[in-house]
Structures are given as structure tokens and as C-alpha cells.
Amino acid sequence: MASLTQPTTNKSNTASVNDLERLAASKKSSPLKTLAKYLVWQIIGLLCVEAVLGFAGLGEEELFAIDKTLGMTHMTDKSVTWRKEGYAHSYLNWDGLRESAVTVAKPVGTYRIALLGDSMVEGLQVPLEETFGQKLEKELTARSGKKVQVINFGTSGYSTVQEALLLKSKVFKYSPDMVLLGYDARDMFENWSTPDQSLANVRPYALKLPGQKLVIDNGSVTSWLKTPRAKFLTSIGWIRSHSRIWGLISAAETEAGFHNPVYATLMALFTQPGKTLKKLWKDAQDPRSWQDAVNGVVALATPSFKIQFFDKPKAPAIKDLAVTSETGPAIKKDLAVTSETGPAIKKDLAVTSETGPAMPLKTEKLKAIAAAPKSKTIEQTSTVADPTISAADAAANKKAASIFLNLMKNTLEGLLQDMQSDCKKHGAIFCVQALPSRAILSPIAGMDATTYGTSYEGEVESLHDICGKDHIPFVDVLHPATSYTKKEQENLFYSAHLTPAGHNYVATVLEPFLLEQIKTAKAQALEK
Amino acid sequence: MHFCTDPKRIFCPIQQDKPPRDKPRVIFSSLQYFLFLPFAVFCYWQTSGKTRQLVTVLASYIFYMSWLPIYGLLLLAMTAANYLLGLGIENAREKNQKKLATAYLILGLLIDVGVLCYYKYFNFIFENAVRAVITTSTIFPQIHLSSNFLHLADSPFLSVVLPLGISFFVFEFVHYLADVYRGHKSVGSFLVFASFAAFFPSQIAGPIKRYQDFVTQFANPTPLTLPLFYEGASLIMQGLFKKVALADPLGAIIAPSFATMGSLSMADAWVAAAGFVIQVYCDFSGYTDMGRGSALLMGIRLPINFDLPLLSKDISTLWRKWHMSLGSWLRDYVYISLGGSRIGAFGQMRNLVITMIVCGLWHGASWHYILWGALQGLGMTVHRLWCSFLKERPTLESASQTVLGNIFSAVLTMAFVCATFGLFRSPDMPHALNLWSGMAGLTQNNAAFSLMLPLLKSGILPILIAYFAFWLLTSYLRKHPTLLDGLVKEPGGGLFLNPVRMATWTAALILMVASKPLEAVPFVYFQF
């Protein structure tokens, strides 16, 4: 209250009296009224920010809705602007599809192809017209003489089991004449993955033991739904589907948050305040946790600036300038990145989210491990030689890995057989394609491209064998690109997903195969 | 500046020196600063008199030495030298020993300017000297350069790391000595003088203070009332927003255009140049805002540095409104010392060009800065000639002052600024020429507008427009009484801020996070 101590003239005396009166008056208004005023203005501010973000296309990368059976599906009536790789606007319609004009009822004389797969098929990084599905639609309509319609049911992060379940619950509604499943790196391992913080990793399990029937179990989904995080996400469902500010938070979580202890604490505080506060109080007694906390805060908040001096030429910097998330190796080598951002990064996640056993175990124990939270033993299943593990352990690990691999192959076969018979029942042809993968065609230096002793090429080989055995039409979209030049191979991918050139390539490889299938179907129809 | 005339490439004179150590650990837009500042401000107000002076000096040195501790000694040494010389000059002046006073002044200038030249220009001078020698030796093969000379050229001793803020504090020392010589009173207390020299809010990037103002305010700083706190905090928030949400993303987007030697489309070149102008304005004015806001929290009002320069109608006005503290320094200590405008039209123009060349050199040791400065001087000269030309043609003069005329002038000024600042930003002359040929539309092929995608992807334009609209709104509200006065001008109740202001801060913080570039890219940072 400086005005009271400084010498004042008459004028400022009146002024200060007025000030006092005003201050007194403001104090009279209740604290509730003041709080309400702050809240109202905060909401107005947030709405303005939402508008600006809407124009800027920021924060529009949230696209998963929680689903009891599948774990997650596309949100409906949602604008999505993908900026992480590529740049494209999409709109997911009332049924979560990018093709807005598609009707459930199949128009007469139309040949419908349904595409199943994960983010490689989904292709959110490129505009809809540039996806291989739409390119195929155009070409096939022109070349086959039939009106062909391609509907893209690809969803980021999907495993084969989710694709099988989606087929049953949604795809057959659209009466497809052909279902084309896109197999991507590590899909078979995703059929056995434990959920973690990210909604994208919540999946049902599938297992087919030798000589047994295929078992699909969504127990992992239902138990995840009971976790505090799931309850939190469910409760803010409206915000998740409408708010771009939430979209930013969600993207930040994905990029750095999940494994940052400070972020984890903040989220826990938000979802389980009582329990978290108790734990924090206990931790506060330990001085080491203060050091960790400070480190975490600093790591979270320090911006990643690099200084460039005006008067020093930028020769080294030019090389750095060329590294963007589009073309360069993953600047983010974090474990926190979700499975749809690339095979190599997926591998890290695979190590933590999959429960490959360290020792050979009976099937019951296998299931028990699957249900248990991730443990240290998971790290030991890495096929990279670890000097701290003895030779005997390493051999045992290798054996366990190969047992697990065979189980996963068996499960994959079971799923494909299941989908094939489903399609037969609904009068559709079931085909499989092996998608191209950056891990083989343009690998990121220094990253291990194998899981459980097999590379993606090995997976494709197994897939080929399975399809051959079960008479499933199969097309390999990986190998034609192996004969391309390095530059051409690089052009096919952003940091993990297909560029427009990549989609073009896939369409080109698939076209003759699909034409063949359509012609066969036409001939068969005529025979009937 | 890098060249290599040795065909065997056994050595390259003046290698790109070992990269200077990264960013200073406490720059304004880092979390560390927001932990440091409240603590420093708290200590500042809790103490008084000599203790407070000590606190200021300590805080400033901690801030400075967080980068390279050894340069704190440099600052201390120069502070001591200038302090003693200042006392000496005053002493000599009072005793009418003009020659001694002049001697002290010259000694001071030699030390100050000498140190600045050493750190800033040694590489440049040496490089060019070596280049001259080598060129001579290639022209006259009789001259053999000894291998010792060649090895000397390559010595790591000769690559100096520029101390942070050296251009600013050296200029402040020169101003101090010159003013004391001209009759002003020197600073008696070493602590006060050290505070002036090292004052952390203005240490790294100005504004260039005047000691008379500073010392008066420092002795009796404005008490930290709530309105002053809001003003300071708001300035800091505004500066942070301009830097983080506007300048940094823009810098990331346009950086490739300056780094490339490929042909630029006209759109690319102009967008890059204009983008740089906006970037440097937001960056520098943002940084100044943060500095001024921090100083306000300590009760000291630093001079403003920017007064809407980009809306200027001519280049002379622009330089009166851009980096005002440097402009006034150059006017007082270079322009006027050269004779100013008192020596006739031609002399005046010569002085103008020289002053602007000094301005260019101040920014860095490179030919393109010198050229930039010369161009600014030429531009101002042309403007003066144009003004005197107009005076004799009243009809033309009144035409130029209509709305259309003003708009045309502003656009022309902006175009000149874009072109010359494009030169400024380019790493060297070849890149600048590449940029200029792009701006002039002289590119061979029809290069695509490659900046459009990054611009759209970053979402920077809506944020920029939103900020501009917000600024227009607040300027209007500030100058004209409206119905909203009650809401926006009240200081708020008790400890809490005005709810509207708080809402704008929330919005600003969210937008700062939203606009963070997705990739790690070099940013422009002033290290002078």
C-alpha cells in the first residue's frame, strides 16, 4: 500500500480514497463469485484457443474410441489432421471411415473390396485420394469394366486378432466381395501383447495351441477397462472426441509422457488423488526421490534449442537441417512411442509389452505370465548377445523364443483360417498381402530388426507358407521393392509409414493380383 | 568463411572451429530461468542497500557464468578496469588535466574495443589476412609459405569462442567512459557499477542501458506493488510467447531456404525473407520483453527497444524504432563523433553509411554483415535525398502522404527490409545471392513453392494472425475507453490476477506448447 506512505496531494488523496473504496467493494464480492469469474474467463480463453487450434489443424491426432471387444476403434465424426509424418486432413464419418460417401448397402453392380490392416493400410499420413485403396479403386474400375469400390478399414495399431474381430463386427455389414488383409511387421506378436498406458496397445489375446482350437480372449481388454486410466479416459470421452487441447495433451503423452516419472505422477494425481498423495508423502521422506523429481522436472521442461550463430557459417548445421521426422532416423528413440510409429520403435515396445517367457514354461504358466504385469525377465528375451547372461541361459532363451515364435505362427494361421471361413460364409474372397516395411527396405541404422529371432522377411515367409497351406490368395508387396535403388526405397517411407510414392507402389503391385481375382469372380458368377 | 587452397587438403586454414559450447544454461526461455528469477527477485527485495547491490551482482554473475564460468572473470576484469578508468577520467577532468583525461579515455576505449575486436573479429581479420597471403603466394609462385606458417594458421588457439553479450556490455562501457569524459558524474560505488555492467535482465541481448538512468533507478527502485508485478509478469509472458510460439517455429520452417544453394522459387524466397523479418522481430523483441519484464520485477525500468518498427513508412523511421538502444548508442557515439549532420549533406551521408556499417559489424564478423550495414546506410541516404526531392514538389509530397501513398511506402520499406535482412540471415554471400536471385524471380526452372507444406503443417499462420488480432484489440482497449474497462483494467482481487489476464496467460501457454516444432531444428539466437 505504497500510496499511504508517500506524500500525497489533495488530488491523489481522493484518488487513494477511491482506490480504498473500490478495494473494499471488491472484497465484498464473495469468493465464490470471484472463482466463478475466473472459471468463466478461463473457459472463454480455452474456447478461443480451440478455435485457433482448429484453424491451424493442431491437436487433431486423437482418433481412438474405447471399445469393449476390440480395445479401440476409430472415433466417429472426427476431424483428423496428421502432422507427425506427412500432412493430411481426414474426416472419419459416422462409422469411423474416411470414405465419407460410402453407404452400408452395396450399390447394385459394385464390386466391393474391404481393406483390413493397421496404420500402414490406414494411411492417415497422406490425403485419402493418395492412399493405395483409392488409387486401386480408380484403376480397377477403369481396367476391369466393373464398378469397383474400395473401403479402408485399416486402424492404427491393429493386430491380426483385432482385424479378425473387426471383420465380424463391422466389415460384413458392408457386404464386401473381397476382403484384403494387410499383414505388417510384428502383427503376429501383437496378438499376444499386454496393454500399457497407451490406448493403442489395448488388444485382445489370441492363442492357438497345436492341435487345439483358436482361442480369442478379450479378458485383457475388460481388465484394462477397470484400471484408473481407462476409467479416466472413459469419463472424458466427450472431451477426447471434441477438444483439440486434449489432442495436444494426448500427443505429448505419446511422445514423452508415459515413461517420464513426473508426468506419471501428475496423471496419477489426477486419476487417483488420495492414493498418490499418500505415496508421495512416503517418498518425500527419502532424499533421493527429491533428486529424481528435480531431474524429471528439468528433463520434462527443458526446450531442445540449438544455437546457431549469425557470424559462423552453418556447414555442419545443414546436415542437421536435413533431418526431419519425415526423412530421418528416429530422433525419438524413446520407448514411449506407440506401436504404430514404426517397426524399429515397435520393437522396443514389443520388448516391454510382450510377455515372452525367459524360460520354457507350460502353457498355463504362459497364460499366467501374460496376465501378470511386465517383469524384468522380458528384457532377457532379447536376441542380442548380453554379456551378463551365461551361455546356458542364452541357449535357454533362444529355445524359449523359438517356442514362442512357433506358437505365434500357429495362432496367426488359426486367425487366417477363421477369417477365411467367415468370408466364405458371407460370400467374399479372402486374400492376404504382405505390406512393405521400412525395417527391410530402408532400415534405420543401428536398430535391431528382429523379434524372437525372426526378421520381417522371416515373418513374410511364414505368412506365405501359411497361405499356401490354406489356399489363401497371397501377394507379396515387400519383395518387388527390394530391387529398387536405395533412393527409391527411401522415398517410399516417412519415418515409418508410406509416402504417396509408397502408396503408389503398393497399388501398382496389387493391381494385377486384384484384377485377376475380380476376373475369376466374374467368371465364376457367370458360370452360376 | 571456409576455404581450402591446399590441393592435397592436408590442412584447411581456419577449420570450422570446434563448435562453441552449446546454449547458456540459463537463457530466458528455459525452465531454469523461471526457477532462478523468482529466487533472485525474492532475495533482491528482502535485502536493501549494499546487500541488495551485492545480491544483484551475484545473481548476475551466476546467470552469466552458467554458460562458461571463465568468462565471468573477463567481465569482472573489464568492469574493474572501466570503473577505475571512469574515476580516473573524472578526477583528471576536475583537475583540468585534459590530456590525462583523454589518455585515460583512449586507454579505456582501446581495452574495450580491443577486447571486442579480439573476440569478435580476430577470426575474420586473421582469415582474410591469411587468405590474402595465400592468394598472393598462388599468384607469385616464387613465394613459398613455410610449413610453420601453415600450421600456425591451423592452430586451435586461433579459434575463439565469443563471450556471451560482449557486444552489449562493451558498448555500455564505451558509453560510460565517453559520458564521464563529456562531463557526467562517474559511479562511485564499485558494486553499483558492477550491477550496471552485469545486470542479468539486459546482459545477454540488451537493451543497451544508460548508466545515469540505471544508477538512479537502482538506488531507488519502484516498489514492487501488485500493478508493477502484473506489468512485469505480463511482459515476460508476452516475450515468452513471441519467442516460443512465433519466432522459434518460424525459424525452423524457413531455415532450409537459407541453407540451400538450390534454386528457390520466388514464393519461397520472399516467404523465407519475410518470415525471417518476422522471426527476428518476434525473437528479439520477445527477448527484450522478457528482459524488461524481469527488470520491472526488480523495480527498474529499462529502455524500450522496439516501437512497432515493421509498420514504418521509411527506412529511417524503421531504424529509429528497431533496436532503439543500439540506434541511440550509434547516434551518440559514432554518428555525432564523426560530425553528425553538421558537416554538410555529403558528409552527413558518409557518416550515415559509416555508422550503419559499424552497426553491421556489430552484429558479426563477416563481409555480408558489412554489406548489409552499407545497404542500410545507403537506403537511409536515398530516403533523405528523396525527402529533399519531395520538398520541392508539393503535389508529389501530398500524394505520398495519402492512405495509398502511405501503404505504398510501407510496402516498399518492407520489401527493402526483406531483401536486406535476407542477406543478413544468409550464412555467406553465395547463399545470399542465391536468395536474391530467387526473390528477383531469376530461377531457371519453375521451382515449387516448397515452404507451403511446412507452413501449413506447423499451424503458425493462424497463431500469428490470432496474436496480431489480440494485439490490435488490446492496443485499442488501452487507448480508448470502452465498456470492457471494468473487466480488463481492474487490478484483480487480492493476490490473484485479473481474470481476463489470467485467461490470456492460459491461452498463451497452451499455444506455446501447441506450436513447438515437431523436429529438432537450429534456431536463431543472438550471440553478440
Side-chain angles (χ1 to χ4, degrees), chain A residues 286-304:
Chain A
D286 175 15
R288 266 181 309 137
S289 61
W290 284 99
Q291 180 62 32
D292 290 339
V294 170
N295 287 343
V297 168
V298 171
L300 185 68
T302 311
S304 52

Side-chain angles (χ1 to χ4, degrees), chain B residues 20-327:
Chain B
R21 186 172 135 190
D22 236 344
K23 60 182 188 298
R25 230 171 270 140
V26 193
I27 54 172
F28 283 167
S29 52
S30 66
L31 181 73
Q32 291 90 330
Y33 185 66
F34 290 101
L35 296 170
F36 167 82
L37 182 66
F39 187 65
V41 168
F42 177 75
C43 293
Y44 179 86
W45 288 109
Q46 290 297 93
T47 54
S48 59
K50 271 210 148 37
T51 331
R52 177 183 285 175
Q53 293 166 3
L54 191 62
V55 163
T56 314
V57 173
L58 278 175
S60 303
Y61 272 85
I62 290 172
F63 185 81
Y64 192 70
M65 286 164 70
S66 70
W67 179 62
L68 267 182
I70 194 88
Y71 283 137
L73 287 179
L74 172 72
L75 181 59
L76 189 62
M78 289 187 72
T79 308
N82 281 279
Y83 170 72
L84 292 170
L85 282 168
L87 289 176
I89 293 174
E90 189 181 42
N91 213 359
R93 204 190 64 221
E94 278 167 0
K95 292 191 187 147
N96 272 321
Q97 293 167 317
K98 190 112 197 270
K99 278 218 177 96
L100 188 61
T102 317
Y104 280 143
L105 176 70
I106 291 177
L107 180 62
L109 289 179
L110 277 174
I111 294 175
D112 293 335
V113 179
V115 167
L116 182 66
C117 280
Y118 170 68
Y119 281 107
K120 228 173 151 92
Y121 307 118
F122 182 80
N123 283 348
F124 174 65
I125 294 169
F126 191 78
E127 240 175 63
N128 282 288
V130 169
R131 180 194 293 231
V133 171
I134 289 181
T135 314
T136 322
S137 77
T138 52
I139 295 172
F140 300 102
Q142 299 91 343
I143 301 173
H144 293 288
L145 294 173
S146 81
S147 58
N148 282 335
F149 173 75
L150 303 177
H151 284 130
L152 182 66
D154 202 20
S155 161
F157 276 114
L158 301 179
S159 60
V160 283
V161 179
L162 201 61
L164 214 53
I166 189 165
S167 311
F168 294 94
F169 62 72
V170 160
F171 271 31
E172 286 179 350
F173 286 144
V174 168
H175 136 72
Y176 175 69
L177 292 178
D179 273 11
V180 170
Y181 182 76
R182 284 176 185 170
H184 292 251
K185 190 169 176 353
S186 71
V187 177
S189 152
F190 179 71
L191 277 179
V192 172
F193 186 71
S195 304
F196 165 71
F199 194 52
F200 72 84
S202 67
Q203 197 186 76
I204 296 181
I208 299 174
K209 311 185 291 293
R210 297 298 175 107
Y211 81 91
Q212 299 93 335
D213 264 330
F214 181 82
V215 167
T216 322
Q217 291 196 65
F218 193 50
N220 203 10
T222 322
L224 189 63
T225 56
L226 224 43
L228 189 70
F229 175 79
Y230 300 149
E231 199 184 337
S234 294
L235 265 177
I236 292 177
M237 188 54 113
Q238 177 177 278
L240 195 64
F241 180 81
K242 278 200 268 192
K243 183 158 180 24
V244 173
L246 299 177
D248 292 346
L250 252 170
I253 293 166
I254 62 173
S257 302
F258 289 104
T260 181
M261 280 301 287
S263 53
L264 291 164
S265 65
M266 204 157 156
D268 268 335
W270 278 98
V271 168
F276 176 67
V277 173
I278 297 174
Q279 178 204 349
V280 75
Y281 171 69
C282 290
D283 194 88
F284 203 179
S285 70
Y287 211 87
T288 309
D289 284 345
M290 286 194 270
R292 292 188 64 239
S294 309
L296 266 182
L297 292 179
M298 295 162 78
I300 295 174
R301 208 166 273 275
L302 293 177
I304 62 170
N305 237 356
F306 294 90
D307 187 15
L308 308 175
L310 297 180
L311 301 174
S312 306
K313 293 193 285 269
D314 57 72
I315 193 74
S316 307
T317 315
L318 187 129
W319 279 105
R320 277 198 292 274
K321 295 183 166 188
W322 179 285
H323 203 171
M324 291 157 70
S325 61
L326 178 65

